[in-house]
Amino acid sequence: MKNKKRKILLYLLILTISMTLVLPSIQASASPYQKGEILINGTDTITSETIPAEHPTPNLQGISSWWEIYSKTKSTSYGPWHVATASKKSNTSGTLSYSRSFSIANSFSGTLKVPKSKLNATLGFNVEKRTISTSSFSVKVNKNKSYKIYYRVAYKKYKVKQRRVNINTWTGQKYYNGYATVYPKKYSYIQFKAVEK
């Protein structure tokens, strides 16, 4: 009889412990509200605890940018003088002549920001074109005089100013925030001179 009572008490103890463990799980799964939700006045009205951002969504604006040429000026420039040929003193008069084929390329220095094709179109020539031409020069030589013929290359030199254009694609506002200058040179001709001594 005592053993039977002990078994019943043990069974009741186990049942009590099991119910204690199971009930909280059932209550938690049965709740329709998630963490961060609040039940108001016993109704199903739910509000969030998330605090809205204080700063509004930024007003994204598009900026379109490119480089343009806004000014160009032209002048003549020269390379250094080179000795072409020379004659010694003589008891007779005559002619000293010089002829040569020259291969000379256009060029540019400074800072180029616009596309090279745009620079070419603006100037009307290719800034890297090479020209081959033959030039000659003659001078009369007097008796007992020596002569030297010199030559140098003449160029048309340009000063081309560029600037960076920015346009706000929403408002149409235009402004500039960068400047650069490039100096193209175009072959023009060969210049000669004779010096008598």
Side-chain angles (χ1 to χ4, degrees), residues 28 30-35 37-39 42-46:
S31 174
Y33 305 108
Q34 301 298 320
K35 185 176 181 181
E37 298 176 342
I38 303 170
L39 181 64
T43 67
D44 288 337
T45 303
I46 300 173

Side-chain angles (χ1 to χ4, degrees), residues 81-96:
W81 285 106
H82 302 278
V83 176
T85 188
S87 68
K88 295 180 179 180
K89 292 180 180 180
S90 174
N91 293 329
T92 60
S93 59
T95 301
L96 178 64

Side-chain angles (χ1 to χ4, degrees), residues 159-178:
K159 182 178 181 179
V160 179
K161 294 183 178 181
Q162 309 150 92
R163 62 188 176 190
R164 184 179 177 86
V165 184
N166 301 272
I167 291 185
N168 186 312
T169 56
W170 283 21
T171 65
Q173 181 184 7
K174 179 189 290 187
Y175 61 94
Y176 310 100
N177 67 347

Side-chain angles (χ1 to χ4, degrees), residues 5-175:
K5 288 182 179 180
R6 287 179 181 175
K7 287 181 180 181
I8 292 172
L9 291 174
L10 182 60
Y11 173 77
L12 292 174
L13 180 61
I14 293 173
L15 182 60
T16 302
I17 293 173
S18 299
M19 291 298 291
T20 302
L21 295 175
V22 171
L23 281 175
S25 299
I26 294 175
Q27 291 173 353
S29 61
S31 174
Y33 305 108
Q34 301 298 320
K35 185 176 181 181
E37 298 176 342
I38 303 170
L39 181 64
I40 298 178
N41 297 329
T43 67
D44 288 337
T45 303
I46 300 173
T47 184
S48 173
E49 292 181 312
T50 304
I51 300 173
E54 295 180 1
H55 303 288
T57 304
N59 185 15
L60 300 177
Q61 296 181 348
I63 301 296
S64 180
S65 302
W66 68 90
W67 284 86
E68 70 172 9
I69 293 172
Y70 71 96
S71 173
K72 66 174 182 176
T73 56
K74 181 173 68 173
S75 61
T76 301
S77 67
Y78 301 92
W81 285 106
H82 302 278
V83 176
T85 188
S87 68
K88 295 180 179 180
K89 292 180 180 180
S90 174
N91 293 329
T92 60
S93 59
T95 301
L96 178 64
S97 299
Y98 178 78
S99 181
R100 176 185 161 182
S101 178
F102 293 87
S103 177
I104 302 169
N106 300 335
S107 63
F108 63 90
S109 59
T111 303
L112 179 62
K113 290 294 187 178
V114 301
K116 199 176 298 179
S117 58
K118 186 172 184 179
L119 180 63
N120 292 342
T122 300
L123 297 176
F125 64 89
N126 189 323
V127 294
E128 294 181 316
K129 179 183 177 182
R130 180 170 292 276
T131 301
I132 299 176
S133 65
T134 300
S135 298
S136 58
F137 181 78
S138 297
V139 60
K140 289 183 178 181
V141 176
N142 297 319
K143 291 191 297 183
N144 299 319
K145 294 291 183 178
S146 63
Y147 292 82
K148 280 185 178 181
I149 294 177
Y150 295 84
Y151 74 88
R152 66 180 179 178
V153 182
Y155 300 90
K156 292 297 182 185
K157 186 174 183 179
Y158 296 79
K159 182 178 181 179
V160 179
K161 294 183 178 181
Q162 309 150 92
R163 62 188 176 190
R164 184 179 177 86
V165 184
N166 301 272
I167 291 185
N168 186 312
T169 56
W170 283 21
T171 65
Q173 181 184 7
K174 179 189 290 187
Y175 61 94

